[in-house]
Amino acid sequence: PSQLIKRQKHHFQHLESLGVDVIFGCNGFIWVGCHVEPPADPTNPQKMEVDEKPQSVGTVELEVRGNICRVANAMKTLGKLFLPIHAHSVLKVFELSVSLGMAAKDMLGNAFQTKVLEMEVDRRKGE
């Protein structure tokens, strides 16, 4: 839901340690993908011809693909629990899943959601 996306100065986030780019749309949509370097000269972007195809990213490493899935599932979990979605909260849920040794596919289960809620309760008690 769009009300969960925290308004930020920059909605394009590069999670450098994971090799993942995330776009947090104010309309509630979120795009997750592998990191792509921006053009060398942003003031003069290369114009594409009509029949020219965009350059492909190439092969994405297995570890990065796993990180993309884990980041996407972290956001789905936050959404199910109606918790704010921003880069910091996604990274916290990502780190929790790794510390628990949980597979990316298991992050959508009730057991993991309980752990995320416990983490959020502990965080709020500390404030």
Side-chain angles (χ1 to χ4, degrees):
S2 60
Q3 59 267 34
L4 296 180
I5 306 294
K6 184 177 180 182
R7 197 165 278 284
Q8 306 170 60
K9 185 176 181 181
H10 301 285
H11 287 270
F12 290 69
Q13 299 285 330
H14 170 54
L15 307 179
E16 195 169 338
S17 62
L18 308 176
V20 175
D21 284 342
V22 181
I23 303 172
F24 297 96
C26 291
N27 60 357
F29 287 101
I30 303 173
W31 293 266
V32 183
C34 65
H35 178 65
V36 178
E37 289 295 326
D41 185 11
T43 60
N44 185 17
Q46 297 175 346
K47 294 183 180 179
M48 289 180 52
E49 299 297 324
V50 175
D51 59 344
E52 186 179 347
K53 294 183 180 178
Q55 293 179 345
S56 65
V57 175
T59 305
V60 180
E61 296 176 19
L62 184 62
E63 179 183 356
V64 175
R65 281 188 275 161
N67 289 344
I68 291 170
C69 292
R70 198 175 287 273
V71 166
N73 287 346
M75 287 187 258
K76 289 176 186 176
T77 299
L78 289 168
K80 282 183 180 179
L81 298 173
F82 215 73
L83 294 172
I85 300 173
H86 49 86
H88 182 72
S89 65
V90 170
L91 284 174
K92 285 295 186 190
V93 174
F94 181 97
E95 291 167 0
L96 177 65
S97 71
V98 171
S99 69
L100 294 174
M102 187 161 286
K105 65 179 182 175
D106 297 330
M107 291 174 66
L108 301 175
N110 291 335
F112 183 69
Q113 290 177 11
T114 303
K115 295 288 185 186
V116 172
L117 282 176
E118 289 171 357
M119 178 184 73
E120 182 65 15
V121 167
D122 290 343
R123 185 190 68 82
R124 290 184 184 188
K125 281 183 181 177
E127 289 181 350

